Amino acid sequence: MEENQRRIETAALALFTKQGFHGTNIREIAKKAEISTGAIYTYYPTKEALFVSLVRNYELRMKPLRDQMFNIIQAPFSKRDIRKLASAIRSIVYDNADYWLLMYIDVIEFKNQHFAPAFRDLIEKIRRRVGPLLSEAKRQKGWCGKDPAFVFASMYMYMFEYFLIEKLFQGNRHLGVSDEQAIDGFADLFSYGMWSNSNGVRRSRSADNSNLHVGPARHRDRERPRAYSR
């Protein structure tokens, strides 16, 4: 990217995320970038073309971060990997706030025209990423019976939502705990479920690195919570 183009996109990003797309004009971008309006049109025929370029360039930055996040996963429903996933998601959200602001601008001002493809067929995208690991979890004794890609996607999106609320909506411990406590809570909830066994004791945590303990009890009958037997 040429220096002038970098300055244009830096200026546009700062103004779009502060004033919105329609609240910003080309003259303001040119002034902030300290170049002429004509120079902007050399690279971008329209203001929307500039917005689209920002989105595409940010996507290029986000891709290796997503790749790194998925590459750390070995046992997707183990407490260890759920904690790793949550920490990676927190970094992606907290370190790239402008990306998410662009997404919200797109939702409000373009009806999510430019970001919608990122959400389409999410389940299939997850299967392509970690499909064999999900299939392995499904084969293990005690699996809850749900499509593991659906379970993983639900967990994945929930954790993104939590950190987006904390970062962009000034959630300020909106679940009443610190981020580290929330991450531990997610790991417990998603790996062990909400229910104790019939004796009121939580399931064993000896398999923190395996996919064995997942979801509300569909485990051995002697471990099934009373609430499910009614």
Side-chain angles (χ1 to χ4, degrees), residues 120-173:
R120 293 190 186 120
D121 301 318
L122 178 62
I123 296 291
E124 293 306 316
K125 291 174 182 175
I126 284 175
R127 285 196 180 101
R128 288 196 293 270
R129 292 274 194 169
V130 290
L133 297 175
L134 297 177
S135 297
E136 181 182 346
K138 189 175 182 180
R139 289 192 297 268
Q140 292 194 30
K141 185 177 180 180
W143 177 249
C144 66
K146 299 293 185 182
D147 176 359
F150 171 83
V151 176
F152 185 88
S154 300
M155 180 174 69
Y156 173 81
M157 293 303 296
Y158 180 83
M159 290 190 285
F160 262 109
E161 178 183 345
Y162 170 82
F163 291 114
L164 284 168
I165 290 174
E166 283 293 293
K167 180 66 175 179
L168 299 186
F169 293 88
Q170 304 300 313
N172 192 24
R173 297 165 64 112

Side-chain angles (χ1 to χ4, degrees), residues 15-200:
L15 291 168
F16 289 159
T17 54
K18 182 179 181 180
Q19 302 173 182
F21 176 82
H22 292 299
T24 301
N25 60 53
I26 290 292
R27 290 188 301 277
E28 290 174 310
I29 296 171
K31 181 179 179 180
K32 189 170 184 64
E34 298 181 338
I35 60 172
S36 67
T37 56
I40 293 179
Y41 289 114
T42 300
Y43 300 101
Y44 312 99
T46 65
K47 187 173 67 169
E48 184 173 350
L50 173 52
F51 181 84
V52 170
S53 181
L54 280 173
V55 172
R56 288 176 178 169
N57 286 329
Y58 236 122
E59 281 292 344
L60 291 175
R61 290 174 53 185
M62 299 296 284
K63 185 181 184 303
L65 299 179
R66 294 192 190 102
D67 290 343
Q68 182 179 4
M69 175 183 65
F70 281 106
N71 287 340
I72 66 175
I73 296 171
Q74 297 176 338
F77 302 111
S78 68
K79 183 173 181 178
R80 179 197 64 190
D81 278 12
I82 292 171
R83 189 185 288 115
K84 285 183 179 180
L85 179 66
S87 295
I89 289 172
R90 175 176 60 181
S91 295
I92 289 173
V93 171
Y94 285 9
D95 296 343
N96 299 278
D98 286 342
Y99 174 80
W100 309 103
L101 291 173
L102 284 176
M103 183 181 293
Y104 290 130
I105 291 168
D106 193 46
V107 169
I108 294 169
E109 305 196 45
F110 294 100
K111 297 183 179 180
N112 205 28
Q113 176 182 341
H114 305 101
F115 280 90
F119 297 96
R120 293 190 186 120
D121 301 318
L122 178 62
I123 296 291
E124 293 306 316
K125 291 174 182 175
I126 284 175
R127 285 196 180 101
R128 288 196 293 270
R129 292 274 194 169
V130 290
L133 297 175
L134 297 177
S135 297
E136 181 182 346
K138 189 175 182 180
R139 289 192 297 268
Q140 292 194 30
K141 185 177 180 180
W143 177 249
C144 66
K146 299 293 185 182
D147 176 359
F150 171 83
V151 176
F152 185 88
S154 300
M155 180 174 69
Y156 173 81
M157 293 303 296
Y158 180 83
M159 290 190 285
F160 262 109
E161 178 183 345
Y162 170 82
F163 291 114
L164 284 168
I165 290 174
E166 283 293 293
K167 180 66 175 179
L168 299 186
F169 293 88
Q170 304 300 313
N172 192 24
R173 297 165 64 112
H174 71 281
L175 293 186
V177 295
S178 68
D179 282 355
E180 290 301 328
Q181 291 171 315
I183 288 172
D184 282 341
F186 298 152
D188 276 347
L189 179 62
F190 293 132
S191 59
Y192 305 125
M194 295 181 292
W195 303 98
S196 302
N197 65 22
S198 58
N199 295 319

Side-chain angles (χ1 to χ4, degrees), residues 176-230:
V177 295
S178 68
D179 282 355
E180 290 301 328
Q181 291 171 315
I183 288 172
D184 282 341
F186 298 152
D188 276 347
L189 179 62
F190 293 132
S191 59
Y192 305 125
M194 295 181 292
W195 303 98
S196 302
N197 65 22
S198 58
N199 295 319
V201 179
R202 292 296 296 273
R203 296 183 188 85
S204 169
R205 299 191 180 191
S206 60
D208 278 1
N209 296 339
S210 78
N211 283 316
L212 183 58
H213 300 292
V214 183
R218 290 280 186 93
H219 296 265
R220 295 181 298 275
D221 288 343
R222 65 185 177 83
E223 290 185 343
R224 185 173 298 154
R226 295 185 186 281
Y228 282 164
S229 62
R230 294 174 183 169

